Amino acid sequence: MHPHHSTPDNIRTACAAAQAAAADFAAQPLASRAALLRALANALEAHRQPLVALADRETALGPVRLNGELDRTCFQLRGFAEQVEAGAAQPVQDDPAVAGAPPAGRPHLTRVHMALGPVAMFAASNFPFAFSVLGGDTAAALAAGCPVVVKAHPGHPQLSRDVFALAADCLNTLGLNPGVLQLVQGAGIEVGVALVRDPTIEAVAFTGSQRGGVALWQEANARPRPIPFYGELGSINPVVALPSALATQSQALATALAASITLGCGQFCTSPGVLVVHHDDAGQAFVRQLAEALTLSRPHAMLHSGIRAGFDAGVARLQSRGGVTTVLAAPAREPSPGAHLFATEAATFVADAVLQEEVFGPACLVVWVRDLDETLQVLQAVRGSLTATLWGADADTADNRRLVRAAQAMAGRVLFAGLPTGVAVTAAQQHGGPWPSSTHAFSTSVGYAALARFLRPVALQDAPEWLLQAKGQA
Ligand code: NAP
């Protein structure tokens, strides 16, 4: 067996270590948790140069993107440290007792929150820093007071080990239990399945494919004691370009959209996969401008051969699908694929579930619509998406209200300007939409609200004062 493939024993040991560390870590002063998060950010920055070089060798994402991603990772670690210090990890709601008979009369109730315990975290292939060993899910879980067992992604195995070693040093320096962060790895679904099945695991955070995410979500639910599964899966992120937007900024929007489709070689969960546009002269001119801008793009190599094979298969699927025309098939410049643009009618898109599937990579499907009703039907057919973008819907009109309602019904984030790629780390962020874009649309995997996924509310009734003073942390 490969030396870095975790055996069932290794996985059990890692989970047992996390469980053994859980009570003590949850009981640490908040300042200690915040210090850990800051120390992890400092360690990443101190080792930036070798880490970025290694990440580039393993993922081909390029130093500019990877440096930016490392910055983002440190920013969110420090941001969660601030959240911890501000009390976000121990929210309390207090309802004083009311004398008299119920329902108006009541005891003193205080709603507090407890750290869940060990969290299994599946690192993403496409974010070797920001959604991996010390990425957003890990930062949120640690901020909540939960140990984390990371399932490294086989697309960047050495980087995962090196970042993990830095984190282990930080825990050691701060005198914290090494079980607070554990790592398991190995290509093969049995590692992830064993991790989710381990009885010590209390929640799972996952970023990746719909197929993998749904399989693991089923595992989490099939356990004798099911646990929450926070899966952030694929998404096709429709962009609706209304005539009013195209009338004034067609070329600029086409250039920006082409850049978003090809950013990171299209390997973003928020990559715009569907463009909804009116089938009129302005719409056709816009699609020509988009195709021209895509022709000039130079996507880099994809993350690994499996993702490239998936992209090639997705392109072939669209090329051969009835009712779909190929607008652009830029030739591959190996090892990089070429950008692709396809087009279809609204009725075809709505009737064909295959067209509603994500093609992970630099490709987009234009859906021609004739009116608002067709636009709404297209959004409804998408069902669930991380984002929906509405260009030209700023005015308060009855039509725009219908459009916004339809977008809100199927997306976790609705944009009125800009592009869905780029997900700001902030308190108001929502990264998670209705099924199938995520398994839990009520929570976010980006931004500070992500912390709440790893806290469980407990109501304390007529609790003693010492416990209330400690915000319910016994
Ligand atoms: P993936 O295949 O879903 O793998 C993600 C993680 O889940 C890996 O650690 C993988 O382990 C594990 N896994 C996958 N299927 C599993 C199963 N049935 N049981 C247990 N563990 C399982 O994602 P990927 O490797 O990143 O990329 C593959 C495809 O996912 C892409 O082509 C793209 O379509 C999609 N993707 C989507 C996003 C997004 O943000 N929405 C991000 C990345 C990728 P092993 O690899 O070790 O088996």
Side-chain angles (χ1 to χ4, degrees):
M1 182 163 292
H2 190 276
H4 296 301
H5 186 94
S6 301
T7 63
D9 264 355
N10 297 149
I11 298 166
R12 266 194 301 277
T13 304
C15 293
Q19 188 188 36
D24 179 59
F25 185 54
Q28 286 288 324
L30 294 180
S32 152
R33 249 187 250 172
L36 171 62
L37 291 161
R38 289 205 175 90
L40 296 172
N42 294 344
L44 284 175
E45 279 175 347
H47 296 82
R48 172 189 295 275
Q49 201 267 334
L51 290 178
V52 165
L54 173 57
D56 194 24
R57 281 199 297 282
E58 292 193 327
T59 67
L61 288 173
V64 174
R65 148 74 196 272
L66 289 165
N67 270 297
E69 198 186 315
L70 189 140
D71 289 339
R72 175 195 177 92
T73 310
C74 296
F75 177 86
Q76 65 193 4
L77 283 162
R78 294 190 176 110
F80 275 109
E82 284 168 21
Q83 292 291 313
V84 168
E85 286 164 341
Q90 293 177 348
V92 174
Q93 191 175 0
D94 195 62
D95 282 334
V98 174
R106 63 178 190 217
H108 180 190
L109 279 164
T110 310
R111 187 180 166 93
V112 298
H113 288 79
M114 307 299 297
L116 273 184
V119 172
M121 199 288 281
F122 284 76
S125 58
N126 55 343
F127 281 95
F129 291 113
F131 284 87
S132 286
V133 177
L134 294 181
D137 288 327
T138 298
L142 293 179
C146 300
V148 177
V149 184
V150 177
K151 158 68 170 75
H153 196 282
H156 35 84
Q158 188 59 47
L159 179 71
S160 303
R161 287 192 285 276
D162 285 9
V163 171
F164 173 68
L166 288 177
D169 277 352
C170 291
L171 289 168
N172 187 31
T173 305
L174 293 169
L176 291 167
N177 190 318
V180 167
L181 191 70
Q182 294 286 298
L183 183 80
V184 299
Q185 58 181 335
I189 63 169
E190 65 278 6
V191 175
V193 169
L195 179 58
V196 172
R197 285 183 184 169
D198 196 281
T200 64
I201 296 298
E202 298 289 346
V204 184
F206 174 93
T207 301
S209 67
Q210 263 177 33
R211 203 177 52 175
V214 168
L216 289 166
W217 173 76
Q218 285 168 339
E219 286 290 344
N221 283 291
R223 290 169 39 125
R225 184 174 60 83
I227 50 174
F229 184 92
Y230 302 107
E232 194 264 272
L233 315 179
S235 181
I236 60 174
N237 306 298
V239 173
V240 179
L242 293 172
S244 61
L246 299 187
T248 53
Q249 354 164 26
S250 187
Q251 182 60 60
L253 290 174
T255 306
L257 182 57
S260 180
I261 292 168
T262 53
L263 188 70
C265 201
Q267 300 167 115
F268 285 108
C269 46
T270 51
S271 191
V274 164
L275 169 66
V276 185
V277 64
H278 280 234
H279 206 172
D280 54 19
D281 289 348
Q284 285 172 336
F286 179 64
V287 170
R288 275 197 303 277
Q289 289 166 328
L290 176 62
E292 278 162 24
L294 286 171
T295 308
L296 300 176
S297 69
R298 293 279 173 274
H300 55 66
M302 300 195 86
L303 288 159
H304 58 74
S305 56
I307 289 191
R308 174 63 186 273
F311 176 68
D312 290 345
V315 163
R317 201 167 59 229
L318 289 178
Q319 274 169 336
S320 62
R321 206 74 192 165
V324 176
T325 55
T326 301
V327 180
L328 171 74
R333 293 164 186 253
E334 295 303 342
S336 310
H340 283 70
L341 190 62
F342 301 94
T344 194
E345 298 292 331
T348 311
F349 180 83
V350 169
D352 188 349
V354 167
L355 303 184
Q356 300 151 19
E357 287 174 18
E358 179 187 47
V359 177
F360 197 66
C364 183
L365 174 63
V366 176
V367 180
W368 297 116
V369 293
R370 280 171 180 74
D371 53 29
L372 177 66
D373 282 343
E374 280 197 350
T375 304
L376 300 185
Q377 286 160 20
V378 169
L379 292 181
Q380 200 176 11
V382 173
R383 291 170 297 148
S385 182
L386 294 171
T387 73
T389 301
L390 309 176
W391 286 339
D394 292 333
D396 184 356
T397 66
D399 279 2
N400 283 346
R401 282 174 179 259
R402 287 181 70 200
L403 184 59
V404 171
R405 269 201 301 275
Q408 287 181 338
M410 49 70 71
R413 178 164 56 110
V414 179
L415 295 83
F416 295 86
L419 289 143
T421 41
V423 188
V425 182
T426 169
Q429 188 54 273
Q430 173 57 26
H431 191 61
W435 184 278
S437 65
S438 67
T439 59
H440 200 276
F442 309 94
S443 68
T444 179
S445 68
V446 177
Y448 303 124
L451 199 156
R453 295 175 300 165
F454 308 116
L455 295 172
R456 187 172 63 80
V458 176
L460 303 176
Q461 187 165 327
D462 294 327
E465 189 54 30
W466 67 265
L467 188 55
L468 299 180
Q469 288 296 325
K471 301 193 170 184
Q473 314 300 312

